[in-house]
Amino acid sequence: MEGALAFQTVMIVVVAAFCGAVPITSPSQEELAKAQEYLSQFFSDVGVTAPKTVRRSSLDSFDDTLRRMQEFFGLDVTGHLDSGTMKVMSQPRCGFTDAARYSHFAGQPKWEKSVVTYRIVNYTPDLSHEEVDSAIAKALKIYSDVIPLTFKKIPSGTADIMISFKSGDHGDFAAFDGVSGVLAHAFSPGEGHGGDTHFDEDETWTLTSAGSNLFLVAAHEFGHAMGMAHSQVETALMYPLYTYENTDGYKLPDDDKQGVQAIYGIRPTTPPTEETTLQPTKRPEPKPEPEPDPEPTPDPEPLPDRCSRDLVFDAATSIGRGLYFFKDGYFWKKSSSWDGITMKQIQSVWPEISHVDAAYEYKNTVVVFEGDHYWRISGNAVLAGYPKPLRDFGFPPCVKKIDAAVHEPFTDKTLFFVKREIWRYNERRERMYSSYPRYIKVEVPGITRVDAVFENEGYLYFSYGSTQIEYDYTRRRTIRTLSNSDWMDCE
């Protein structure tokens, strides 16, 4: 890509006023090293040399940069490494250099096209697909409203902006750090990874003030994907610290608007035509009403590709003698007898259910979860009295969705997976074990997150992303690593 490729991060920071900060009279070498690293990363283009010992003659460059940092955050500008300054340095924050007013990346990279494509590669389980689609489209629209770019969503292939939800080390040398801290990052415009935007799946994504608001974080990250760096204006969208504000009718703030228009120009309005500006010399004859244009037929959503190397299951379970794999409103059935793989829409079999987050088989019924409720089904019939709320299982109100579930036949217990935690349920007594939840990695060594899980021939199969682990649950050990598509009878 042309120019320097830079990625951006935006994080939750609790902003407080630090008055009367207490100076650190004798900073430790560890404190000096941390301060040096912080100032070098965020407030200097060439790095800051911290003193090996606290001597006045060696503190000049360090102190000057420290004052810049204190001024940026509204602290007392002392040039001393006081407790208030150290407290700010210890807060999670954005990973790019801070700037004054709006700013652009070095070389001012931009999209040299009028139509920029984007693709949502995978979805967070915290929101429905429709909610994610809407939040992403709305976040891009605040830019297309003011600059001459149009954003087009594509269902497959490589887009200019590839959007995904990932956790931990995800292959771009900018690993996410778990809950809180880093929320997301994006690359500046260009080839390859240019414009790509990643959201930390370990966060709780919402459309409200709770958790991390997907629209606000996406709007900030897309500013970086347009070529914008950070602003020191606290009311700007590109200010490096995340704060929530009402998103109803949200418009791009003036500072951000000026910055992005400095790159792309102003979106033109349609000029008046000669026909609308000249006064007619005589009263025109009325024209017949034009025939209304036919309603465009929307392009059908592509069917899930069972042989894709990137196949991610929404859920999986055994039902009778077959295995069922759920994906985007559809399911594949793999029979124990050789009938090949059959695919159906979920609602064609169970009309009440449109999407499956998790499912498990217990005795002669299957429990199916969607959002904060569940059904019990037998064959093609949903049992009477359903859906019911998750709290019936004993989950607290904070659990809004189940990632995966399986009934483990050797212990005769049902396991539920919610983010990084595991819950254990006694089907006979119909209650949750009091010693749960526990961390998955403690209860099931070698497993940390689960998208889907099922039991087959004595083993549990844990899927996360496109990868799957064959697991001996009684011995708590991994047998082998597979791909989800290995079950799909692909060449």
Side-chain angles (χ1 to χ4, degrees), residues 107-112 189-190 226-227 263-265:
Q108 195 166 311
K110 60 181 290 189
W111 296 107
E112 300 290 351
M226 294 300 102
I263 302 176
Y264 296 98

Side-chain angles (χ1 to χ4, degrees), residues 233-420:
V233 177
E234 291 190 33
T235 58
L237 175 62
M238 299 312 295
Y239 189 65
L241 311 183
Y242 170 89
T243 54
Y244 174 79
E245 61 180 288
N246 193 315
T247 61
D248 293 339
Y250 187 92
K251 300 292 184 182
L252 197 63
D254 286 342
D255 185 69
D256 309 289
K257 182 177 177 181
Q258 293 173 29
V260 75
Q261 287 181 337
I263 302 176
Y264 296 98
I266 301 172
R267 187 173 192 87
T269 56
T270 304
T273 63
E274 181 179 0
E275 185 179 69
T276 59
T277 54
L278 296 178
Q279 295 294 326
T281 56
K282 63 178 182 179
R283 186 174 180 177
E285 295 293 326
K287 296 181 179 179
E289 290 292 327
E291 292 292 327
D293 293 332
E295 289 292 328
T297 302
D299 294 331
E301 287 292 324
L303 297 178
D305 179 6
R306 65 183 173 91
C307 292
S308 169
R309 297 177 60 186
D310 299 322
L311 176 64
V312 178
F313 293 141
D314 294 333
T317 186
S318 59
I319 301 180
R321 300 180 63 187
L323 293 175
Y324 286 64
F325 302 94
F326 297 88
K327 175 71 175 177
D328 295 344
Y330 292 84
F331 68 85
W332 295 284
K333 178 184 177 183
K334 182 181 178 71
S335 299
S336 56
S337 59
W338 176 243
D339 293 328
I341 302 287
T342 58
M343 180 181 181
K344 293 184 179 180
Q345 191 171 24
I346 295 171
Q347 289 187 318
S348 70
V349 180
W350 304 289
E352 300 90 338
I353 305 170
S354 59
H355 180 83
V356 175
D357 296 324
Y360 73 92
E361 184 179 32
Y362 178 67
K363 294 188 175 179
N364 297 320
T365 63
V366 177
V367 183
V368 175
F369 297 87
E370 181 180 6
D372 60 359
H373 50 275
Y374 71 98
W375 293 265
R376 289 188 186 273
I377 62 177
S378 178
N380 291 352
V382 173
L383 300 186
Y386 290 88
K388 294 183 178 181
L390 287 182
R391 64 174 179 267
D392 283 8
F393 276 95
F395 288 107
C398 61
V399 175
K400 304 294 186 184
K401 174 186 173 297
I402 305 300
D403 293 335
V406 66
H407 185 74
E408 207 288 304
F410 297 101
T411 61
D412 197 29
K413 302 299 183 291
T414 298
L415 307 177
F416 297 106
F417 299 85
V418 181
K419 294 187 180 296
R420 294 186 179 273

Side-chain angles (χ1 to χ4, degrees), residues 444-447 459 462 468-473 475-481:
V444 192
I447 306 296
Y459 293 114
F462 294 100
Q468 189 175 102
I469 300 294
E470 184 180 74
Y471 201 85
D472 187 334
Y473 185 70
R475 298 181 180 181
R476 300 297 199 274
R477 70 180 186 182
T478 296
I479 304 302
R480 57 176 175 159
T481 300

Side-chain angles (χ1 to χ4, degrees), residues 39 43-44 48 60-69:
L39 296 176
F43 288 88
S44 173
V48 177
D60 291 340
S61 175
F62 182 79
D63 287 359
D64 288 344
T65 311
L66 185 61
R67 289 189 180 93
R68 288 170 51 204
M69 176 263 181

Side-chain angles (χ1 to χ4, degrees), residues 1-6 105-110 112 188-192 194:
M1 60 174 288
E2 296 183 12
L5 180 63
F105 291 123
Q108 195 166 311
K110 60 181 290 189
E112 300 290 351
S188 60
E191 298 296 326

